[in-house]
Amino acid sequence: MDSPLPLHVCHVNNLSVIINRLHALLHCIAIGFLIYYRASYLLQETRAIPIILWLLVFASELLLSFIWLLGRAYLWRPVSRTVFPERLPEDDKLPAIDVFICTADPEKEPAIGVMNTVLSAMALDYPVDKLHVYLSDDGGSPITLHGMREACRFAKWWLPFCRRYGIKTICPQAYFSEADSDDYFGDSEFMVEKKKIKEKYEMFEEHVTKAVEDGDYGNSQNHSTIIEIIQDTSGESETIRQADLVEMPLLIYVSREKRPDHLHHFKAGALNVLLRVSGVISNSPYILGLDCDMYCNDPTSARQAMCFHLDPKISSSLAFVQFPQKFHNINKYDIYDGRFRSAYCVQWQGMDGLKGPVLSGTGYYIKRESLYADFTHTVNDISELKDTFGKSNVLINSLHQSYKQNNANGENFSNVLQEETGVLASCSYEHQTKWGEEVGILYQSVSEDLFTGFILHCKGWTSTYLTPFRPQFLGTSTTNLNDLLIQGTRWGSGLTDVGLSRFCPLLYGPSRMSLLQSMCYGELSFFPLLYCLPLWCLATLPQLCLLNGISLYPEVSSPSFIVFSFIFISAICKHLQEVISTGGSIYTWRNEQRIWMIKSVTAHFYGSMDTILKLLGLRKASFLPTNKVLDKEQVKRYEIGQFDFQTSSMFLVPMVSLMILNMAALLFGFIRIIAVGNWDKLFAQVLLSLYILIINFAIVEGMIVRKDKGRISTSAILLSSVFSVILLFFGSIILM
């Protein structure tokens, strides 16, 4: 018999492989010459430059070289994939899916946006009886619960409309805001139907907005468990054909118990509660994880993911299928690098060529079994299972594949099961169990997704990465500097948590996964720390030396100058090549360079320090949700490609101080070169300051030129000036 047609194929980009490996070889050779130049100076008997400065610059260059070397693993074997969902088995043979959506703060995560994500998940093109949508409300807000009930009512109109007309944009808010959403343009029946559905949506939006305006947000840190299977009990008399006997996915609201004196482990804790509660209600073998602002943009994502999960060649070891995060609110300028092009267009595809990408927090289809470690297969002792998963007999029964679930609807949601799920969602259930340590989403870091994915890969699981032409999920990206840097600080802290833990990928990983994959995880875990320290040094020490006429780099006439020039130009050109090859432009390259510098001296620095303070016991872990509420003035500045500097002084002072220092170094460096004529010795340092200022001209503009509300405040400039003077003072003492 002929073998069945494949559900997916993998493509290796051989040209990229050749370019990447050739560049890595040449760059490594140049780095070798740089190390020889720096090290040979240390062996000289007489030195014109203070040894501490030379060592600091040398250490910075070594750290940058090390993190660059780790990053070569991404480029070793990048791949792309194509799927054939039309080759999947019939609907009755498809596995069930639970959808997990997490929200935490109704003020920062508007209820109407969360409900649109819920509705889009309910509208996925998948058998209705095999789709179950769970919303975790960590805020315990009556507003969110009310929104779920309103969403359930509107879904009775929205879902049949999407099915009947094959609507692709299944998020109603996005659909009704599209200019070209009329797939059946000219069909009078469709237009009448669309108008009615739009009116229903506006009513739904009005009801949710009114509840928000009433302002009953609840107590996000102190509330009891609420679990409710949402059903439409409105009894409204108006009926039309699509509102009658509508088949809908199961919709469940879960707000776990939270008390001030109990650790709740942020998003990871919420996901583990959903894992337990869903285990005794629907117990689907696969789970779709979504952020509350990341709506489904294509109804076929579940079927596309199943092309991997149902492939008998890889299914037994496949933990999850990851889709890229893409965003609907990014404009052509993308001044804050909101697309995360480097991660989703380069790094994740590179990891996919090894054993698979990182678990990325949203837009993934994960196998439930992979989150239960090996306990479901290797442990038969009930007492040991209870020590691991807790005392719930119903949950223990759900761990076995033979478990039959008869409670996945509102009518059968008995008082006994209601009580059982209440226990599973209580704040004390995890005590003396292995939740968050060995099973479920892991608690080691606030970047729970990265750490959980890393441990899964260490245990032998694999993952795949799929980037269809049409974005499967669309979210809201940060469009102002303040939110960008707060988010970056949180991520920096979470990533460094993993790097400085006993699970350090460079030590824990190599014996459990390939060296290349360990290097990828090492780069992710250490880049906040290993970029912030060198960039602080290279943005200050060469400039202080320039002001004092001290050369840290070879003379232009020296052969060693070619080495430094090659490394500098090589790194820039490789970055530019990656940007162009993934659809970007020279403006994209400039923006990424600027955001990399800004984040390194601010968000990554603070995030790394936060981790170090936690390790020293001087600070507790914290989590601050990214603000999803849009400020109209900030949005307007973003749309015209203008930075908004309305942020904390803790972020402004470092970047403004460095701009002042580099402006002073450039000005007085030129004066010194003209007066003394030693341009040959100081050219590299002048060029470095000039490059920093050109890339970050938006900051200089915000300091000097702009007069609008989004400029850098006078108080921040004055404070930065004082800090710069202090830097200059101590620098002059060191250089004496």
Side-chain angles (χ1 to χ4, degrees):
M1 293 179 63
D2 294 336
S3 59
L5 293 172
L7 293 172
H8 60 92
V9 293
C10 178
H11 316 277
V12 179
N13 191 332
N14 291 316
L15 179 60
S16 292
V17 168
I18 293 170
I19 292 173
N20 294 340
R21 295 183 185 182
L22 180 61
H23 172 264
L25 175 63
L26 296 174
H27 203 84
C28 277
I29 293 171
I31 288 174
F33 282 115
L34 182 149
I35 293 172
Y36 173 78
Y37 172 81
R38 290 294 187 196
S40 62
Y41 179 83
L42 299 176
L43 302 177
Q44 295 178 9
E45 293 183 3
T46 58
R47 306 183 189 96
I49 303 169
I51 190 66
I52 184 64
L53 292 176
W54 194 269
L55 287 173
L56 285 172
V57 172
F58 189 18
S60 299
E61 292 165 347
L62 287 176
L63 288 174
L64 289 176
S65 299
F66 178 65
I67 198 71
W68 172 87
L69 182 63
L70 293 179
R72 295 318 90 194
Y74 297 121
L75 306 178
W76 190 252
R77 186 177 176 267
V79 301
S80 58
R81 299 181 185 271
T82 304
V83 294
F84 306 99
E86 66 275 7
R87 299 174 183 173
L88 286 170
E90 297 299 320
D91 285 2
D92 60 342
K93 295 181 181 179
L94 293 176
I97 296 174
D98 290 340
V99 182
F100 290 177
I101 302 168
C102 293
T103 185
D105 188 338
E107 292 187 78
K108 292 188 174 181
E109 298 166 336
I112 193 65
V114 177
M115 295 311 124
N116 269 274
T117 300
V118 169
L119 287 162
S120 71
M122 295 176 73
L124 286 170
D125 176 21
Y126 208 73
V128 174
D129 60 326
K130 296 183 177 182
L131 191 62
H132 319 94
V133 181
Y134 294 79
L135 177 70
S136 168
D137 175 21
D138 244 17
S141 171
I143 291 172
T144 307
L145 179 56
H146 175 76
M148 285 283 278
R149 293 167 180 160
E150 292 293 337
C152 182
R153 294 190 188 103
F154 175 66
K156 285 195 171 184
W157 303 83
W158 176 245
L159 301 189
F161 174 71
C162 291
R163 293 167 190 158
R164 181 174 297 112
Y165 296 107
I167 303 301
K168 291 183 178 179
T169 305
I170 53 177
C171 171
Q173 187 176 51
Y175 177 75
F176 291 120
S177 64
E178 285 183 352
D180 56 347
S181 61
D182 297 336
D183 300 332
Y184 285 75
F185 185 77
D187 186 327
S188 58
E189 181 186 4
F190 167 75
M191 296 305 292
V192 170
E193 197 85 1
K194 179 184 175 182
K195 184 179 179 182
K196 285 186 177 181
I197 301 301
K198 187 174 183 180
E199 289 172 355
K200 290 288 182 183
Y201 176 73
E202 288 170 349
M203 283 177 57
F204 154 70
E205 203 171 41
E206 183 181 330
H207 291 163
V208 174
T209 303
K210 186 177 184 301
V212 173
E213 290 172 351
D214 290 343
D216 185 5
Y217 290 102
N219 189 333
S220 63
Q221 300 302 317
N222 191 5
H223 57 80
S224 301
T225 300
I226 303 174
I227 299 176
E228 181 177 322
I229 291 185
I230 307 296
Q231 300 178 84
D232 181 13
T233 57
S234 62
E236 58 182 20
S237 58
E238 180 190 2
T239 59
I240 58 175
R241 59 184 180 179
Q242 68 261 41
D244 293 333
L245 304 175
V246 175
E247 288 187 294
M248 295 206 310
L250 192 68
L251 184 61
I252 305 99
Y253 171 88
V254 178
S255 178
R256 59 177 171 151
E257 180 187 17
K258 290 176 76 175
R259 301 301 177 195
D261 55 344
H262 282 76
L263 290 174
H264 52 83
H265 300 292
F266 316 113
K267 182 181 176 182
L271 286 169
N272 282 337
V273 168
L274 289 181
L275 197 59
R276 294 193 294 270
V277 170
S278 66
V280 302
I281 296 179
S282 52
N283 199 36
S284 299
Y286 296 98
I287 295 165
L288 165 61
L290 291 175
D291 282 344
C292 65
D293 66 320
M294 186 68 65
Y295 64 79
C296 302
N297 187 56
D298 188 323
T300 67
S301 67
R303 294 180 184 272
Q304 293 189 48
M306 288 305 127
C307 289
F308 298 102
H309 279 302
L310 298 184
D311 181 354
K313 294 180 181 178
I314 65 172
S315 179
S316 61
S317 63
L318 181 64
F320 60 91
V321 177
Q322 180 68 58
F323 289 91
Q325 294 186 36
K326 296 193 176 182
F327 307 95
H328 62 82
N329 64 328
I330 293 177
N331 66 5
K332 62 181 181 180
Y333 301 107
D334 191 18
I335 55 175
Y336 301 118
D337 187 27
R339 286 189 177 88
F340 299 106
R341 181 208 57 82
S342 180
Y344 297 120
C345 296
V346 178
Q347 295 175 342
W348 274 215
Q349 287 191 337
M351 293 187 77
D352 197 19
L354 303 174
K355 287 294 183 180
V358 174
L359 189 66
S360 303
T362 183
Y364 58 84
Y365 285 85
I366 192 167
K367 186 181 294 180
R368 182 185 290 267
E369 178 189 347
S370 69
L371 296 173
Y372 289 161
D374 298 324
F375 291 98
T376 55
H377 295 300
T378 60
V379 178
N380 293 315
D381 181 61
I382 295 297
S383 62
E384 187 175 347
L385 286 173
K386 287 189 174 183
D387 288 341
T388 300
F389 292 96
K391 304 300 182 183
S392 170
N393 290 321
V394 182
L395 179 63
I396 298 299
N397 289 337
S398 76
L399 302 177
H400 303 290
Q401 292 181 352
S402 59
Y403 180 74
K404 302 295 184 183
Q405 184 52 260
N406 298 312
N407 299 298
N409 61 67
E411 295 176 359
N412 294 330
F413 194 55
S414 64
N415 291 334
V416 174
L417 192 58
Q418 177 81 52
E419 184 178 341
E420 190 72 25
T421 55
V423 171
L424 292 170
S426 66
C427 59
S428 60
Y429 183 82
E430 293 183 355
H431 290 179
Q432 297 183 334
T433 70
K434 295 180 181 178
W435 282 99
E437 296 177 6
E438 294 184 41
V439 296
I441 305 297
L442 305 181
Y443 297 154
Q444 176 70 33
S445 165
V446 292
S447 292
E448 73 290 327
D449 46 2
L450 172 108
F451 183 63
T452 302
F454 171 64
I455 295 300
L456 287 175
H457 281 133
C458 284
K459 291 178 178 178
W461 291 96
T462 62
S463 58
T464 59
Y465 185 57
L466 185 62
T467 56
F469 177 75
R470 180 181 174 87
Q472 300 300 290
F473 307 98
L474 286 174
T476 305
S477 181
T478 52
T479 55
N480 65 77
L481 189 63
N482 185 61
D483 290 344
L484 174 79
L485 297 180
I486 290 174
Q487 181 188 68
T489 302
R490 186 179 76 234
W491 288 355
S493 177
L495 295 173
T496 312
D497 278 342
V498 178
L500 297 182
S501 72
R502 66 187 180 92
F503 297 101
C504 171
L506 299 179
L507 301 175
Y508 187 82
S511 62
R512 297 169 175 84
M513 59 173 65
S514 71
L515 177 61
L516 288 173
Q517 197 173 19
S518 296
M519 289 169 64
C520 290
Y521 274 108
E523 197 273 348
L524 281 169
S525 301
F526 281 111
F527 84 82
L529 179 63
L530 296 189
Y531 275 139
C532 74
L533 298 178
L535 262 67
W536 262 104
C537 284
L538 296 177
T540 54
L541 297 182
Q543 291 73 10
L544 291 171
C545 289
L546 177 59
L547 288 168
N548 289 273
I550 298 173
S551 173
L552 286 174
Y553 297 97
E555 297 179 1
V556 174
S557 57
S558 168
S560 298
F561 183 81
I562 298 174
V563 173
F564 283 84
S565 301
F566 177 84
I567 292 173
F568 181 72
I569 295 170
S570 167
I572 287 175
C573 289
K574 187 66 179 76
H575 181 204
L576 183 59
Q577 178 263 325
E578 289 175 9
V579 169
I580 300 296
S581 66
T582 53
S585 65
I586 193 167
Y587 298 105
T588 308
W589 169 83
R590 189 269 316 272
N591 290 337
E592 290 185 6
Q593 287 276 311
R594 177 171 56 208
I595 290 300
W596 168 63
M597 293 181 189
I598 289 174
K599 280 186 173 180
S600 293
V601 299
T602 56
H604 293 163
F605 176 76
Y606 291 127
S608 299
M609 293 304 104
D610 182 68
T611 294
I612 292 170
L613 290 174
K614 283 185 288 186
L615 288 174
L616 296 174
L618 301 177
R619 179 174 165 79
K620 292 183 179 180
S622 62
F623 180 88
L624 185 64
T626 304
N627 186 20
K628 306 297 191 305
V629 179
L630 300 178
D631 180 278
K632 291 183 179 179
E633 287 190 22
Q634 289 180 335
V635 170
K636 191 178 294 183
R637 279 188 282 274
Y638 175 76
E639 289 299 327
I640 62 174
Q642 192 176 70
F643 264 71
D644 190 305
F645 291 104
Q646 295 181 90
T647 185
S648 168
S649 292
M650 67 177 281
F651 294 129
L652 285 177
V653 170
M655 67 175 83
V656 174
S657 298
L658 293 178
M659 288 303 102
I660 293 172
L661 179 60
N662 276 270
M663 284 191 288
L666 184 63
L667 175 61
F668 290 104
F670 268 124
I671 293 173
R672 179 180 291 277
I673 286 173
I674 293 170
V676 181
N678 58 345
W679 69 272
D680 193 46
K681 293 182 178 180
L682 300 177
F683 177 77
Q685 284 152 261
V686 170
L687 185 64
L688 178 61
S689 287
L690 181 62
Y691 180 74
I692 291 172
L693 291 171
I694 289 174
I695 292 295
N696 294 284
F697 180 72
I699 302 176
V700 178
E701 185 182 42
M703 294 165 54
I704 300 171
V705 180
R706 288 172 53 186
K707 304 298 180 185
D708 58 277
K709 190 178 177 182
R711 71 188 185 281
I712 297 173
S713 65
T714 304
S715 59
I717 295 173
L718 290 174
L719 191 57
S720 302
S721 301
V722 172
F723 187 70
S724 300
V725 170
I726 294 172
L727 269 177
L728 290 168
F729 174 73
F730 282 106
S732 63
I733 292 175
I734 294 171
L735 296 172
M736 287 178 62

